[in-house]
Amino acid sequence: MSKTIPPLGTPKDVALYCTLRRSLRKAPDFLFGRDQIVMLTVPPGYCAEDYDNSAASLIRRLAAERDDMAYVMIAATDKPRVIIKRLTDDYSRRRRVLILRETGAEMPLSASLGIDIEIDLSPISAMDLRIGCRRAYQIAVTHDQACAMLEFPLDHLSAALRRGRPPMDVLHRLESVAAREGKPTKRASASPLLEDMVGYGSAKSWGLELAKDLNDWRSGTLNWSDVDTGIVLSGPPGTGKTQFAAALARQCDVPIIATSLGRWQAHGHLGDLLKAMRGDFNRAKECAPCILFCDELDSFGDRNSFSHDNKDYSIQVVNGFLEHLDGLDGREGVVVIGATNDISRIDPAILRSGRLDRHVAIELPDASDRLAILQQHLGQGLPVGQYSKLITATNGFSGADLAKVARDAKRLARRAKRDIVFDDLLVSLPDLIPITGKHRWSLAVHEAGHVAAVILLAHGVFHGAMIVDHTRNDGATSPGGMASYELPSVAYRTAETYRNQIVVLLAGMAAEEVFFGAIGDGSGAGSKSDLAQATKIATVLQTYMGMGNRLRHSLATEYSDLENLRNIDAAVRAWVDDVLETEFARAKELVRGNRAFVELIANELDATGVVSNAQVEEMRASVVAADEIETAA
């Protein structure tokens, strides 16, 4: 049947036109005017009607005369007699005919006999889409963005693309719809693989092992029962739990279904909620191997703490979730990842063996990870000489915070029509104040105290120390320096081991008092300060480990619980105070007895900002040699 020829007005039309021209290279005689009937089978998931405008435009360009060519669309639902009548009509009136056949459409024998060439149409490629966006809407789309867009249904993509709409906005719209409908998406090229991401520690190791196991399971060399199929990720907001799940799906090359209890509840009453939950798990099974990511896992709550008002409802919700985790009707091929900001609020049954029995905490990135994350988002290296500034300015930043800094820097560079420079980053970060004079010297003395204690007590392996050149001007507490040392993960430890650790922690304060006769406010401020850590160790010795002056055991290990113990138990409080006073006195004595050694370390830190293990060993050797000469004299 003949069609009215519309213009190629959308990126989809232009992209499909590209696929038609490319495929017809396999029929050169048809292109050069020979009378032929060519059948093009459209890719799975595409409709013949998708090609309406593209085929019409192609014929307009190829036809020598107005009635020289025609195209026919065959849907999978068309009945044989309809197909025969349609093709017979066009055979008699056209010299050249294109048949666009949907996958699954049965061609009657009488119709197939007239076909000269059969060709399978290729799906839209990233280059096709980029050409379509540029020619139809004058939108510049990168290769990765095009690959990401093509992972979504063609009708969704066509609706989301609009003239003047940025590609990332298009992707965000597509992703939000897919997430709302609980449909899996695969973004293999849009973002980095898990192996290329930083800041995930043991969670990354687990994910890379899972990717290997899924490959082995696909190949039949590993049973599903041997695959680790569930994990809970915990950590503060912005640490990248959702990004981890997406990167893991890319690493494993599997689809991901993102959902949550809130999304299930949005479907209506309890029956609708349970139906939506069952639907997501069923979709995951249909897509297996697949990752089902359940965010805000703590929203299920703990059945032991449900109030009477909604107890029955909440118990049924948790029980329904547990049923799907158990996979009584089979969960082979489905890996479930849960995410939470508070692991303590999750029902213990969800975390039981065989369900989501593995837990990995994702903490805020440390200094080296923050630098690596910034470089990853920027797509370029950072000047080594500016590391100290960046470490200080980004202290306490989450992965999401760092991503925003990178976006802001890129935007500034785009507006200036140049590459990113370091000042672009600084504009998006808190103001920095140089640390000089007495303030810098006090930091150097403080860190030198830690270093000397580690070396003189042979407490672990010392790696190096540093002090920062700048501090933030936003009122936030930021570390002024760091002494890096490593303790063995497996070793014989006594109370002396832990008390030596307290000495190391308090040695910075001790050095300040010995050198200046006063202690600065940095040593005891915050839950991660030297004094806070020393207080925790002293309390745990007495209560959790039974290494104090009594054997009674306590389960408390968290800061808040230990603080409560000290407040309500005078004996614990008195013992902790005594330990801290005793070990602080020992730390001061250590600094006084080795003042020359501490001063050498502090001088190097003050001058250069860093001191290595090799340098400290040389300093220690020189002090020992000087003492021997003095003794001999």
Side-chain angles (χ1 to χ4, degrees):
M1 63 184 168
S2 179
K3 294 284 183 181
T4 302
I5 302 174
L8 287 177
T10 70
K12 182 186 80 169
D13 293 335
V14 176
L16 289 174
Y17 178 86
C18 292
T19 67
L20 288 174
R21 287 303 302 254
R22 186 166 58 249
S23 296
L24 284 175
R25 291 173 185 167
K26 299 177 182 179
D29 291 340
F30 180 88
L31 290 176
F32 287 107
R34 183 177 176 181
D35 293 3
Q36 281 187 335
I37 297 175
V38 177
M39 184 170 75
L40 301 172
T41 301
V42 307
Y46 286 51
C47 298
E49 289 185 354
D50 290 333
Y51 293 80
D52 200 347
N53 291 351
S54 305
S57 182
L58 178 68
I59 287 176
R60 183 180 61 190
R61 287 163 173 75
L62 294 179
E65 299 176 2
R66 185 171 184 178
D67 294 332
D68 185 46
M69 296 179 64
Y71 68 98
V72 179
M73 296 185 296
I74 306 297
T77 55
D78 285 345
K79 296 184 180 301
R81 65 175 181 275
V82 174
I83 297 174
I84 292 172
K85 184 177 187 306
R86 191 179 300 162
L87 291 176
T88 301
D89 289 344
D90 283 286
Y91 284 169
S92 61
R93 297 188 293 111
R94 301 287 192 272
R95 292 192 309 108
R96 291 183 291 172
V97 177
L98 276 180
I99 301 173
L100 292 163
R101 166 185 169 270
E102 288 182 3
T103 300
E106 293 292 334
M107 294 295 293
L109 179 61
S110 58
S112 298
L113 290 173
I115 296 171
D116 297 299
I117 300 175
E118 296 185 17
I119 301 172
D120 288 335
L121 279 171
S122 61
I124 295 174
S125 70
M127 182 56 69
D128 296 334
L129 182 59
R130 295 179 67 191
I131 292 172
C133 290
R134 186 175 67 251
R135 292 189 176 179
Y137 289 167
Q138 292 75 54
I139 299 174
V141 177
T142 68
H143 174 79
D144 285 353
Q145 289 169 341
C147 288
M149 291 177 184
L150 290 171
E151 297 295 345
F152 298 90
L154 190 58
D155 58 336
H156 288 193
L157 173 57
S158 184
L161 281 167
R162 285 292 179 269
R163 192 182 305 275
R165 181 173 290 167
M168 290 309 298
D169 188 5
V170 173
L171 283 171
H172 289 323
R173 290 169 184 262
L174 292 168
E175 289 170 337
S176 63
V177 170
R180 192 161 58 245
E181 296 181 356
K183 293 181 179 179
T185 62
K186 286 176 65 177
R187 293 282 304 279
S189 302
S191 301
L193 300 174
L194 181 61
E195 64 185 0
D196 298 323
M197 300 184 75
V198 294
Y200 286 106
S202 57
K204 178 178 178 179
S205 300
W206 176 86
L208 295 178
E209 286 297 319
L210 175 66
K212 295 176 184 177
D213 287 346
L214 286 180
N215 283 334
D216 291 341
W217 175 72
R218 285 179 178 128
S219 64
T221 60
L222 186 69
N223 294 326
W224 184 252
S225 59
D226 295 323
V227 179
D228 206 349
T229 60
I231 189 172
V232 175
L233 306 173
S234 69
T239 49
K241 299 182 286 293
T242 303
Q243 289 84 346
F244 172 87
L248 176 60
R250 291 189 289 271
Q251 185 72 42
C252 298
D253 193 26
V254 300
I256 180 171
I257 294 177
T259 188
S260 67
L261 177 59
R263 288 176 182 167
W264 292 331
Q265 286 175 325
H267 286 268
H269 57 70
L270 178 61
D272 296 322
L273 183 157
L274 296 176
K275 182 179 178 181
M277 184 190 298
R278 182 167 59 253
D280 278 344
F281 274 90
N282 286 341
R283 274 190 288 274
K285 294 171 191 174
E286 292 169 2
C287 299
C290 176
I291 289 174
L292 191 148
F293 175 68
C294 187
D295 202 2
E296 300 172 352
L297 198 63
D298 51 283
S299 59
F300 283 97
D302 183 347
R303 288 172 297 179
N304 297 320
S305 61
F306 289 154
S307 64
H308 179 74
D309 294 339
N310 61 355
K311 185 173 183 179
D312 291 341
Y313 171 92
S314 300
I315 286 177
Q316 290 186 67
V317 172
V318 174
N319 287 345
F321 188 60
L322 294 176
E323 178 183 340
H324 292 300
L325 287 180
D326 287 334
L328 296 177
D329 55 347
R331 186 162 69 85
E332 185 167 350
V334 178
V335 177
V336 179
I337 299 178
T340 177
N341 296 337
D342 188 354
I343 189 74
S344 66
R345 294 180 55 194
I346 298 177
D347 193 300
I350 295 176
L351 307 177
R352 198 197 71 190
S353 295
R355 291 168 180 162
L356 304 184
D357 52 4
R358 185 179 294 274
H359 167 229
V360 176
I362 300 179
E363 304 293 345
L364 290 172
D366 61 19
S368 59
D369 283 340
R370 294 199 300 275
L371 294 175
I373 291 170
L374 266 180
Q375 290 181 116
Q376 189 174 70
H377 284 299
L378 291 171
Q380 65 183 57
L382 295 167
V384 176
Q386 304 293 350
Y387 278 7
S388 177
K389 279 186 180 180
L390 288 174
I391 289 171
T392 301
T394 60
N395 180 51
F397 276 33
S398 67
D401 296 329
L402 295 167
K404 181 180 182 301
V405 170
R407 286 196 304 272
D408 291 343
K410 288 180 178 179
R411 184 175 63 252
L412 290 172
R414 283 197 307 271
R415 288 175 178 171
K417 296 181 179 180
R418 54 166 169 72
D419 293 335
I420 298 171
V421 296
F422 184 70
D423 285 346
D424 294 332
L425 285 174
L426 290 184
V427 170
S428 305
L429 292 170
D431 292 337
L432 297 178
I433 299 176
I435 298 177
T436 58
K438 185 176 181 179
H439 188 186
R440 182 177 177 84
W441 175 240
S442 69
L443 293 179
V445 168
H446 181 100
E447 296 306 326
H450 289 310
V451 174
V454 171
I455 299 298
L456 297 171
L457 294 175
H459 190 72
V461 178
F462 174 67
H463 294 304
M466 55 84 69
I467 60 172
V468 298
D469 298 322
H470 296 75
T471 189
R472 278 167 41 178
N473 192 28
D474 59 355
T477 301
S478 57
M482 177 182 63
S484 176
Y485 60 98
E486 183 180 358
L487 297 173
S489 57
V490 178
Y492 174 67
R493 302 183 184 92
T494 64
E496 182 184 9
T497 308
Y498 292 96
R499 294 185 74 134
N500 281 347
Q501 175 67 9
I502 294 173
V503 171
V504 171
L505 288 166
L506 300 182
M509 296 170 59
E512 289 184 52
E513 183 161 304
V514 169
F515 276 71
F516 308 123
I519 299 171
D521 61 2
S523 301
S527 61
K528 295 184 179 180
S529 66
D530 295 338
L531 186 56
Q533 294 180 67
T535 303
K536 178 180 180 179
I537 293 172
T539 311
V540 167
L541 275 174
Q542 173 78 336
T543 60
Y544 182 74
M545 295 183 179
M547 290 182 169
N549 60 6
R550 67 186 188 189
L551 291 175
R552 186 190 309 158
H553 173 73
S554 168
L555 292 174
T557 57
E558 299 299 322
Y559 276 106
S560 58
D561 295 333
L562 295 172
E563 177 73 11
N564 188 49
L565 275 177
R566 291 191 295 268
N567 288 335
I568 64 176
D569 192 329
V572 170
R573 185 167 62 251
W575 193 84
V576 169
D577 288 344
D578 180 68
V579 168
L580 293 176
E581 290 291 344
T582 300
E583 301 311 328
F584 184 53
R586 189 154 68 103
K588 287 189 289 185
E589 188 59 32
L590 182 147
V591 172
R592 288 194 191 98
N594 297 273
R595 182 172 181 134
F597 181 40
V598 174
E599 194 162 356
L600 283 175
I601 300 170
N603 284 331
E604 183 64 25
L605 286 170
D606 185 41
T608 66
V610 295
V611 65
S612 67
N613 182 37
Q615 287 175 306
V616 171
E617 287 181 356
E618 290 180 5
M619 293 174 190
R620 181 59 182 154
S622 67
V623 170
V624 171
D627 289 344
E628 290 176 350
I629 293 172
E630 185 176 342
T631 302

